[in-house]
Amino acid sequence: LIVLIFAYYLSVFIRFGIYDGDFRSRMYLQLCLTLLLIYFFVAMFGNAYKNILRRNRYQELRAVVIQVILTFLLFVLYLYFTRQAFIFSRQVVIQTGIISAVAIYAMRIVWKRIVRLHMLNNVNLPHMLIIADRKTAGKLIRSMHKRRYNVFYICGVIVTDEDMTGSQIEGVPVVCCRQNIRQYVIDEVVDEVFLSLDNQKEQMRMANYFLEVGITVHISLLSHVSDLPNSLTEKIGGHIVLTTSNNTAAGWQLLLKRLTDIIGGIVGLAITGILFLFIAPAIRRADPGPVFFTQTRVGKNGRQFKIYKFRSMYMDAEERKKELMKQNKMKGGMFKMDNDPRILPGIGQKIRTSSLDEFPQLWNVLKGDMSLVGTRPPTVGEFKQYDAHHKSRLSFKPGLTGMWQVSGRSSITDFEQIVK
């Protein structure tokens, strides 16, 4: 979109030179926004980015030319039906089309190289665990490694027909034995599981267990499977699989959610800056020490990150928590008590009651550790107490607020109800 804006105004400059403040300036600005909107919808509904990392340069050139031609055909139709075709420069239309095609193609080639290098470093890729017998596991990993730009990172393999814990298969570590599978997926970061087992009953039992934990399951279609929720067929590393998960979201839905988080994070951090001017001095007067409280929390599928809040408790609050566990009114894996003596007098209770202490977490939202809406991230200690079905609440990014907060918050004292 940025490249298209550049191409458009470069074409306008070539045709008219520098101008501002007249009717033509306003009209061309309005039509620039229209062109961007058309390009956006052509890209979204025309699957313009499907398999983009696997395209060679010729395929990319062909895709860009088709996308630009379709965009400008729709733009010309818009000009015709709105009766602006005779006052809008045809030279600008043609030049913008040619310049944008060349510039977008060059930008994509460069940007794809950056994205590919980023992917090869396994940064933020979903962690996939392979479960199969020794022979099948080797074949699966070799075929996946042949595809350089997979959209996942193979974090480990579990061999079902022998105990190979500590060894490697095709450079991938064997992380545990068959008997410890269930505990491993609870303790470690696992986003997806690739299952390829001969025993269909066992395969179904495992699939249902992983769904309970909140992990996406891919099952090799070399065998017949049924009765799994939200199932669809797709290709994973060159293998046709049946993919199943508790819930599914389309790419455009995830994009919209992320854009909302980014906009909310930016606006929220501006508000946080204003709040800081008033809250920081009050915290320092109540208890000398840092204004912000940081703590390690557990996010999506067990990933750990640092959470940020305005400090509402004394500096030794974490140590004193052990002494107060007897007064915990929550049933299950959380801590909450009435009249907590660790809270700073005055300012501490005020910012907690009004939730103003949560505003610095908008930095976590902007970074991508959290979302505006999602389950609250547990502490490491709370997470270690989780049963299998508890972990499913971490199958998506934690958030600032969620169903628990708007459905009772302080009145709900049963952790199982919070999970529900």
Side-chain angles (χ1 to χ4, degrees), residues 333-372:
M334 294 184 74
F335 177 82
K336 200 174 189 70
M337 67 172 290
D338 295 323
N339 303 317
D340 194 330
R342 302 174 301 160
I343 297 175
L344 296 176
I347 184 63
Q349 192 60 52
K350 287 179 181 177
I351 62 176
R352 287 172 70 89
T353 303
S354 60
S355 295
L356 293 178
D357 61 324
E358 310 285 358
F359 266 81
Q361 288 170 56
L362 287 155
W363 173 243
N364 294 112
V365 172
L366 192 62
K367 284 172 60 184
D369 297 325
M370 294 173 59
S371 178
L372 292 175

Coordinates of all heavy atoms in Angstrom, one line a residue, residues 333-372:
G333 N -6.1 -23.1 41.0 CA -4.8 -22.6 40.7 C -4.7 -21.1 40.7 O -4.0 -20.5 39.7
M334 N -5.3 -20.3 41.6 CA -5.1 -18.8 41.6 C -5.1 -18.4 43.1 O -5.5 -19.1 44.0 CB -6.2 -18.1 40.9 CG -6.2 -18.4 39.4 SD -7.5 -17.4 38.5 CE -6.8 -15.8 38.6
F335 N -4.5 -17.2 43.3 CA -4.5 -16.6 44.7 C -5.3 -15.3 44.7 O -5.1 -14.4 43.8 CB -3.1 -16.3 45.1 CG -3.0 -15.7 46.5 CD1 -3.1 -16.5 47.6 CD2 -2.9 -14.3 46.6 CE1 -3.1 -15.9 48.9 CE2 -2.8 -13.7 47.8 CZ -2.9 -14.5 49.0
K336 N -6.2 -15.2 45.7 CA -7.0 -14.0 45.9 C -7.5 -13.9 47.3 O -7.9 -15.0 47.8 CB -8.2 -13.9 44.9 CG -8.7 -12.5 44.7 CD -9.8 -12.6 43.6 CE -10.2 -11.2 43.2 NZ -9.2 -10.5 42.4
M337 N -7.4 -12.8 47.9 CA -7.9 -12.6 49.3 C -8.4 -11.2 49.5 O -8.1 -10.3 48.9 CB -6.7 -12.9 50.3 CG -5.6 -11.9 50.4 SD -4.4 -12.2 51.7 CE -5.4 -11.7 53.1
D338 N -9.3 -11.2 50.5 CA -9.9 -9.9 50.8 C -9.0 -9.1 51.8 O -8.2 -9.7 52.6 CB -11.3 -10.1 51.6 CG -12.3 -10.7 50.7 OD1 -12.3 -10.4 49.4 OD2 -13.1 -11.5 51.1
N339 N -8.9 -7.8 51.6 CA -8.1 -6.9 52.5 C -6.7 -7.4 52.5 O -6.1 -7.6 53.6 CB -8.7 -6.9 53.9 CG -10.1 -6.4 53.9 OD1 -10.5 -5.4 53.3 ND2 -11.0 -7.1 54.7
D340 N -6.1 -7.6 51.4 CA -4.7 -8.0 51.2 C -3.8 -7.0 51.9 O -3.7 -5.8 51.4 CB -4.4 -8.2 49.8 CG -3.1 -9.0 49.5 OD1 -2.2 -8.9 50.4 OD2 -3.0 -9.7 48.5
P341 N -3.0 -7.4 52.9 CA -2.1 -6.4 53.6 C -0.9 -6.0 52.8 O -0.2 -5.0 53.2 CB -1.7 -7.2 54.9 CG -1.8 -8.6 54.5 CD -2.9 -8.7 53.6
R342 N -0.7 -6.6 51.7 CA 0.5 -6.3 50.9 C 0.2 -5.1 50.0 O 1.1 -4.5 49.4 CB 0.8 -7.5 50.0 CG 1.2 -8.7 50.7 CD 1.4 -9.9 49.8 NE 0.2 -10.1 49.0 CZ 0.2 -10.8 47.8 NH1 1.3 -11.3 47.3 NH2 -1.0 -11.0 47.2
I343 N -1.1 -4.6 49.9 CA -1.5 -3.5 49.0 C -1.1 -2.2 49.6 O -1.3 -2.0 50.8 CB -3.0 -3.6 48.7 CG1 -3.3 -4.9 47.9 CG2 -3.4 -2.4 47.9 CD1 -4.8 -5.0 47.7
L344 N -0.5 -1.3 48.8 CA -0.1 0.0 49.3 C -1.3 0.8 49.7 O -2.3 0.8 49.1 CB 0.6 0.8 48.1 CG 1.9 0.2 47.6 CD1 2.4 1.1 46.4 CD2 3.0 0.2 48.7
P345 N -1.2 1.5 50.9 CA -2.3 2.3 51.4 C -2.7 3.4 50.4 O -1.8 4.1 49.9 CB -1.8 2.8 52.7 CG -0.3 2.8 52.6 CD 0.0 1.6 51.7
G346 N -4.0 3.6 50.2 CA -4.4 4.7 49.4 C -4.3 4.4 47.9 O -5.2 3.8 47.3
I347 N -3.2 4.7 47.3 CA -3.0 4.6 45.8 C -3.1 3.2 45.4 O -3.7 2.9 44.3 CB -1.7 5.2 45.4 CG1 -1.5 5.2 43.9 CG2 -0.5 4.5 46.1 CD1 -2.5 6.0 43.1
G348 N -2.6 2.2 46.1 CA -2.6 0.8 45.7 C -4.0 0.3 45.5 O -4.3 -0.3 44.4
Q349 N -4.9 0.5 46.5 CA -6.3 0.0 46.3 C -7.0 0.7 45.2 O -7.8 0.1 44.5 CB -7.0 0.1 47.7 CG -8.3 -0.6 47.7 CD -8.1 -2.1 47.6 OE1 -7.3 -2.7 48.2 NE2 -8.9 -2.7 46.6
K350 N -6.8 2.0 45.1 CA -7.5 2.8 44.1 C -7.2 2.3 42.7 O -8.1 2.1 41.8 CB -7.1 4.3 44.2 CG -7.7 5.0 45.4 CD -7.3 6.4 45.5 CE -7.9 7.1 46.7 NZ -7.4 8.5 46.8
I351 N -5.9 2.1 42.4 CA -5.5 1.7 41.0 C -5.9 0.3 40.7 O -6.2 -0.1 39.6 CB -4.0 1.9 40.7 CG1 -3.1 1.1 41.6 CG2 -3.7 3.4 40.8 CD1 -1.6 1.2 41.2
R352 N -6.0 -0.6 41.8 CA -6.4 -2.0 41.6 C -7.9 -2.0 41.3 O -8.4 -2.8 40.5 CB -6.0 -2.8 42.8 CG -4.6 -3.1 42.9 CD -4.2 -3.8 44.2 NE -4.7 -5.2 44.2 CZ -4.0 -6.2 43.7 NH1 -2.8 -6.1 43.2 NH2 -4.6 -7.4 43.8
T353 N -8.7 -1.3 42.1 CA -10.2 -1.3 42.0 C -10.6 -0.7 40.6 O -11.5 -1.3 40.0 CB -10.8 -0.4 43.1 OG1 -10.4 -1.0 44.4 CG2 -12.3 -0.5 43.0
S354 N -9.9 0.3 40.2 CA -10.2 0.9 38.9 C -9.5 0.2 37.7 O -9.7 0.6 36.6 CB -9.9 2.4 38.9 OG -8.5 2.5 39.2
S355 N -8.6 -0.7 38.0 CA -7.8 -1.5 37.0 C -6.8 -0.6 36.3 O -6.3 -0.9 35.2 CB -8.7 -2.1 36.0 OG -9.5 -3.2 36.6
L356 N -6.5 0.6 36.9 CA -5.5 1.5 36.3 C -4.1 0.9 36.3 O -3.2 1.2 35.5 CB -5.5 2.8 37.0 CG -6.8 3.7 36.8 CD1 -6.6 5.0 37.6 CD2 -7.0 4.0 35.3
D357 N -3.9 0.0 37.3 CA -2.6 -0.7 37.4 C -2.3 -1.6 36.2 O -1.1 -1.9 35.9 CB -2.5 -1.5 38.6 CG -3.5 -2.6 38.7 OD1 -4.6 -2.4 38.2 OD2 -3.2 -3.7 39.2
E358 N -3.3 -1.9 35.4 CA -3.1 -2.8 34.2 C -2.6 -2.1 33.0 O -2.2 -2.8 32.0 CB -4.4 -3.6 33.9 CG -5.1 -4.2 35.1 CD -4.5 -5.5 35.5 OE1 -3.5 -5.9 34.9 OE2 -4.9 -6.1 36.5
F359 N -2.7 -0.8 32.9 CA -2.4 -0.1 31.7 C -1.0 -0.3 31.1 O -0.9 -0.4 29.9 CB -2.6 1.5 31.9 CG -4.0 1.9 31.5 CD1 -5.1 1.8 32.4 CD2 -4.2 2.5 30.3 CE1 -6.3 2.2 32.1 CE2 -5.5 2.9 30.0 CZ -6.6 2.8 30.8
P360 N 0.0 -0.5 31.9 CA 1.3 -0.7 31.3 C 1.4 -2.1 30.5 O 2.3 -2.3 29.6 CB 2.3 -0.8 32.5 CG 1.6 0.1 33.5 CD 0.2 -0.2 33.3
Q361 N 0.4 -2.9 30.7 CA 0.4 -4.2 29.9 C 0.1 -4.0 28.5 O 0.2 -4.9 27.6 CB -0.7 -5.1 30.5 CG -0.3 -5.7 31.9 CD -1.4 -6.5 32.5 OE1 -2.0 -7.4 31.9 NE2 -1.7 -6.1 33.7
L362 N -0.4 -2.8 28.1 CA -0.6 -2.4 26.7 C 0.7 -2.5 25.9 O 0.7 -2.7 24.7 CB -1.2 -1.1 26.6 CG -2.7 -1.1 27.0 CD1 -3.2 0.3 27.4 CD2 -3.6 -1.6 25.9
W363 N 1.9 -2.4 26.6 CA 3.2 -2.6 26.0 C 3.3 -4.1 25.6 O 3.8 -4.4 24.5 CB 4.3 -2.2 26.9 CG 5.7 -2.5 26.4 CD1 6.6 -3.4 26.9 CD2 6.3 -2.0 25.2 NE1 7.7 -3.5 26.2 CE2 7.6 -2.6 25.1 CE3 5.9 -1.1 24.2 CZ2 8.4 -2.4 24.1 CZ3 6.8 -0.9 23.2 CH2 8.0 -1.5 23.1
N364 N 2.8 -5.0 26.5 CA 2.8 -6.4 26.1 C 1.9 -6.7 24.9 O 2.2 -7.6 24.1 CB 2.3 -7.3 27.3 CG 3.3 -7.2 28.5 OD1 3.0 -6.7 29.5 ND2 4.4 -7.8 28.3
V365 N 0.7 -6.0 24.9 CA -0.2 -6.1 23.8 C 0.5 -5.7 22.5 O 0.4 -6.3 21.4 CB -1.5 -5.3 24.0 CG1 -2.4 -5.3 22.8 CG2 -2.2 -5.9 25.2
L366 N 1.1 -4.5 22.5 CA 1.8 -4.0 21.3 C 2.9 -4.9 20.8 O 3.1 -5.1 19.6 CB 2.4 -2.6 21.6 CG 2.8 -1.8 20.4 CD1 1.7 -1.5 19.4 CD2 3.4 -0.5 20.8
K367 N 3.7 -5.5 21.8 CA 4.7 -6.4 21.4 C 4.2 -7.7 20.9 O 4.9 -8.4 20.1 CB 5.6 -6.8 22.7 CG 6.5 -5.7 23.1 CD 7.1 -6.0 24.5 CE 7.9 -7.3 24.4 NZ 8.4 -7.7 25.7
G368 N 3.0 -8.1 21.2 CA 2.4 -9.4 20.7 C 2.4 -10.5 21.7 O 2.0 -11.6 21.4
D369 N 2.9 -10.2 23.0 CA 2.8 -11.2 24.0 C 1.4 -11.5 24.5 O 1.0 -12.6 24.9 CB 3.6 -10.8 25.3 CG 5.1 -10.6 25.0 OD1 5.6 -11.4 24.2 OD2 5.7 -9.7 25.6
M370 N 0.6 -10.4 24.4 CA -0.8 -10.5 24.9 C -1.7 -9.9 23.8 O -1.3 -9.3 22.8 CB -1.0 -9.7 26.2 CG -0.2 -10.4 27.4 SD -0.3 -9.3 28.9 CE -2.1 -9.2 29.1
S371 N -3.0 -10.0 24.1 CA -4.0 -9.4 23.2 C -4.9 -8.5 24.1 O -4.9 -8.6 25.3 CB -4.9 -10.5 22.5 OG -5.9 -9.9 21.7
L372 N -5.7 -7.6 23.5 CA -6.7 -6.9 24.3 C -7.7 -7.8 25.0 O -8.1 -7.6 26.1 CB -7.4 -5.8 23.4 CG -6.5 -4.7 22.9 CD1 -7.4 -3.8 21.9 CD2 -6.0 -3.8 24.0

